[in-house]
Amino acid sequence: MKEFETNHPNTWCPGCPNSVILQAFKGVLANLVKDGISHHDLVAVTDIGCAGKFYDLLEVNGFYALHGRSLITAFGMKMANPKLKVVGFIGDGGAYAEGLNHLVQLARLNPDLTALVFNNRVFALTVGQGTPVTEEGYRGNTTPEGMIDPPYNPLAVALSAGAPFIARTSALDISASQKMIKQAIQHRGFSILEILQPCITFRPDDLVELRQNHKPVSAKKNNREEARQIIESWNYDQKGAIPVGVFYQANRPVWEERHKARTWHRSQRKVDMKKIKQELL
Ligand SMILES: Cc1ncc(C[n+]2csc(CCOP(=O)(O)OP(=O)(O)O)c2C)c(N)n1
């Protein structure tokens, strides 16, 4: 795991579950390397926000994208070099607000990459505004009298759009999270893993709620109707059981296979790094 450490200071709030997920993720990477995947081919593309900071703390190739644009950037990388294992790190604001169209299109197109959606039900880095998955009544600095509009269910949207792997875990259950991160990465196709996490600064009560209410469910993996029922049993606003687990897993032809006749994205460019560096300098 040491191979994946950086010297960058950790600027998450003390006690943020992101730090635990970081360790779990490094464990998964170490396992993938043990399984024969080259460290060089593991790529992290991160969004902007607290979830984006994973890139600072991971010694892997990668890219810091714009807010809401990390997943489509990940797709670009995958197009250019299909052998990479690309993982996107993105908050609920980035994935379900600014970047929703990309999430839907990737579910439809099904490239072989993974989206880890860190859902704390706020725009955390910009200090706690409500997102489209924040419940009615939430008081943040842009909604001092409480959120008026209802949330929507992005996992139901992803299922409708064709995503072949949809799962949710609680960041407080580290061993389940680690297992599901690995499963999501190993799934061939577009995999979405929503990592529910309490924002200990702006939504500290979620710590207790998530601990008490997360409910592991097991679904018949490729049954869309069952998946839909489980996914819609919690619409991000009501109190009570929050299902976690792999809700849906099916095989669909991936983008790379459907487009294999096209070779442009596989052309091996001979890049003269020395020349590029000189030009930049
Ligand atoms: C296009 C764009 N809109 C807004 C911002 C400002 N911004 C930076 S971080 C952030 C909040 C990120 O929230 P989320 O994606 O939920 O991630 P979190 O910080 O909660 O992990 C926002 C709104 C931005 N950088 N770019």
Side-chain angles (χ1 to χ4, degrees), residues 1-266:
M1 279 167 66
K2 277 227 165 302
E3 255 187 63
F4 297 99
E5 273 171 22
T6 69
N7 293 326
H8 198 282
N10 181 331
T11 54
W12 285 318
C13 302
C16 175
N18 278 346
S19 296
V20 186
I21 294 290
L22 175 70
Q23 292 311 318
F25 189 74
K26 281 189 213 153
V28 172
L29 291 183
N31 256 303
L32 292 174
V33 169
K34 236 193 237 162
D35 292 349
I37 295 172
S38 150
H39 185 152
H40 193 74
D41 290 337
L42 297 168
V43 178
V45 184
T46 64
D47 219 69
I48 297 297
C50 300
K53 295 180 180 195
F54 275 91
Y55 186 47
D56 296 337
L57 302 162
L58 281 170
E59 187 55 57
V60 287
N61 286 320
F63 194 78
Y64 241 125
L66 294 174
H67 194 218
R69 301 293 175 254
S70 55
L71 300 182
I72 210 69
T73 307
F75 183 29
M77 287 181 169
K78 193 71 192 175
M79 274 184 191
N81 187 352
K83 80 170 190 204
L84 300 177
K85 276 262 172 238
V86 186
V87 180
F89 291 76
I90 184 166
D92 50 305
Y96 302 155
E98 279 96 327
L100 172 64
N101 181 30
H102 299 313
L103 193 78
V104 170
Q105 301 303 341
L106 291 177
R108 177 175 80 90
L109 298 174
N110 195 29
D112 180 21
L113 56 92
T114 298
L116 301 180
V117 182
F118 291 81
N119 183 1
N120 49 19
R121 294 196 285 166
V122 274
F123 288 103
L125 193 71
T126 41
V127 299
Q129 301 84 3
T131 72
V133 288
T134 305
E135 74 283 8
E136 279 179 67
Y138 166 80
R139 289 171 192 267
N141 56 15
T142 48
T143 51
E145 293 176 10
M147 288 278 281
I148 293 168
D149 300 310
Y152 78 108
N153 191 324
L155 295 191
V157 173
L159 184 71
S160 296
F165 183 103
I166 303 176
R168 178 187 290 133
T169 185
S170 158
L172 304 177
D173 185 344
I174 197 60
S175 69
S177 295
Q178 191 167 42
K179 204 169 137 211
M180 273 193 257
I181 290 171
K182 188 162 186 206
Q183 263 178 290
I185 294 176
Q186 285 181 326
H187 178 81
R188 186 158 159 75
F190 183 55
S191 47
I192 302 176
L193 173 61
E194 180 179 72
I195 302 178
L196 273 188
Q197 52 175 184
C199 174
I200 51 157
T201 300
F202 298 109
R203 301 184 56 115
D205 295 348
D206 282 3
L207 195 61
V208 176
E209 197 189 318
L210 190 56
R211 191 164 285 140
Q212 282 175 352
N213 293 341
H214 82 281
K215 185 180 147 215
V217 292
S218 54
K220 272 192 233 98
K221 298 281 184 278
N222 60 358
N223 185 325
R224 276 173 82 92
E225 265 329 294
E226 198 183 339
R228 181 168 301 284
Q229 273 173 23
I230 294 171
I231 288 171
E232 291 186 347
S233 70
W234 185 66
N235 275 321
Y236 294 79
D237 53 357
Q238 73 271 41
K239 298 270 175 222
I242 302 173
V244 292
V246 178
F247 304 147
Y248 187 63
Q249 185 167 16
N251 288 324
R252 268 186 62 206
V254 292
W255 185 91
E256 296 87 323
E257 275 163 22
R258 292 198 316 278
H259 288 251
K260 70 170 168 254
R262 298 188 185 172
T263 51
W264 57 267
H265 64 284
R266 284 152 205 253

